[in-house]
C-alpha cells in the first residue's frame, strides 16, 4: 500500500458546521492500513461521559474547543482549549462539559480487527462463502485448528454506549434504554 500524507480534516470547520446540540463523534480517522485511531468528539453544555475504564490502550485527549473537567482518581482536572490529557490504560475517568460545551480529539493505538475463526478455535482466517453459495471447507495442514488468539476488544469510541440523558456507560453492547434513568438510546 502506498501511503501519502494529506489533510484529512480541519477541526475548526467540523466544529463550525456542527449544530450546537450535536453530541458524539463528529469525525473519525478511517484510513485503511492505519496504526492509529482518532476521534473528534463534541459534548454540549453540561453533558457528561460517565465513569469508565480503558483496560487495553493509553489514550491521549486534546481539548480543541470549549471546556469542562475530567474526573480521574478522585480528583477534578480542568480542561481548557489546548489542554493535553494522558489517560493511561486501566485508569478510570469521567468527563463533564462546561457551559460552552467541550470538544476534544482522542488518539490511541488502533485496536486489532476481529477475525472469523472455526468453532474448534483456530485463529487462522478462513474463507467465507458468499450468501447462497456452497459452504467453504475449513483448511487442513498448517491452518488446522489451534488455540485462538485474543483479537477482539471494545470499539475505539464508546459514546454510543453512554446515556444521552444521565451519562451512564451501559454494560449492554446494544442498549435500548438506560438502566439508571430509563432514557431511550438512539436507534442503530
Amino acid at each position: 500500500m502506498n501511503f501519502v500524507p494529506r489533510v484529512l480534516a480541519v477541526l475548526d470547520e467540523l466544529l463550525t458546521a456542527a449544530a450546537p446540540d450535536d453530541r458524539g463523534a463528529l469525525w473519525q480517522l478511517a484510513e485503511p492500513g492505519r496504526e492509529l485511531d482518532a476521534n473528534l468528539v463534541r459534548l454540549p453544555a453540561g453533558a457528561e461521559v460517565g465513569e469508565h475504564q480503558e483496560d487495553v490502550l493509553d489514550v491521549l485527549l486534546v481539548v480543541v474547543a470549549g471546556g469542562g473537567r475530567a474526573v480521574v482518581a478522585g480528583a477534578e482536572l480542568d480542561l481548557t482549549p489546548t489542554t493535553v490529557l494522558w489517560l493511561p490504560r486501566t485508569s478510570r475517568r469521567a468527563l463533564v462539559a462546561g457551559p460552552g460545551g467541550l470538544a476534544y480529539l482522542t488518539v490511541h493505538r488502533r485496536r486489532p480487527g476481529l477475525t472469523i475463526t472455526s468453532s474448534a478455535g483456530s485463529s487462522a482466517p478462513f474463507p467465507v462463502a458468499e450468501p447462497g453459495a456452497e459452504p467453504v471447507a475449513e483448511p487442513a495442514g498448517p491452518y488446522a485448528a489451534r488455540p485462538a488468539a485474543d483479537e477482539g476488544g471494545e470499539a475505539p469510541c464508546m459514546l454510543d454506549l453512554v446515556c444521552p440523558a444521565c451519562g451512564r456507560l451501559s454494560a449492554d453492547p446494544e442498549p435500548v434504554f438506560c438502566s439508571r434513568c430509563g432514557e431511550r438510546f438512539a436507534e442503530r
Side-chain angles (χ1 to χ4, degrees):
M1 218 176 248
N2 186 10
F3 298 106
V4 178
R6 65 187 184 285
V7 174
L8 298 176
V10 177
L11 301 182
D12 285 339
E13 291 175 5
L14 292 170
L15 292 169
T16 300
D21 60 344
D22 279 352
R23 176 191 178 122
L26 300 179
W27 173 83
Q28 297 173 332
L29 182 61
E31 303 308 296
R34 70 190 185 280
E35 293 183 8
L36 287 176
D37 274 328
N39 301 285
L40 174 62
V41 180
R42 183 159 181 277
L43 299 175
E48 298 181 10
V49 173
E51 185 177 71
H52 63 286
Q53 177 173 317
E54 167 55 61
D55 290 326
V56 180
L57 301 172
D58 291 356
V59 176
L60 191 69
L61 183 148
V62 181
V63 178
V64 295
R69 66 185 191 282
V71 181
V72 294
E76 291 189 4
L77 304 174
D78 287 334
L79 299 176
T80 58
T82 70
T83 299
V84 178
L85 177 64
W86 173 48
L87 300 166
R89 64 187 168 274
T90 73
S91 65
R92 297 199 58 77
R93 73 292 298 260
L95 299 172
V96 180
L102 174 65
Y104 56 91
L105 185 70
T106 60
V107 181
H108 55 81
R109 187 181 77 239
R110 187 174 184 199
R111 293 179 188 275
L114 299 177
T115 60
I116 298 173
T117 60
S118 77
S119 59
S122 170
S123 62
F126 293 110
V128 177
E130 293 296 319
E134 291 296 315
V136 176
E138 293 185 8
Y143 294 107
R146 56 183 182 251
D150 181 14
E151 295 188 14
E154 298 169 352
C157 181
M158 298 189 325
L159 282 176
D160 62 333
L161 301 179
V162 176
C163 174
C166 72
R168 181 184 180 105
L169 182 65
S170 175
D172 183 347
E174 295 188 25
V176 177
F177 295 99
C178 177
S179 62
R180 177 189 287 161
C181 71
E183 178 74 18
R184 184 175 187 82
F185 280 79
E187 295 289 325
R188 294 173 198 248

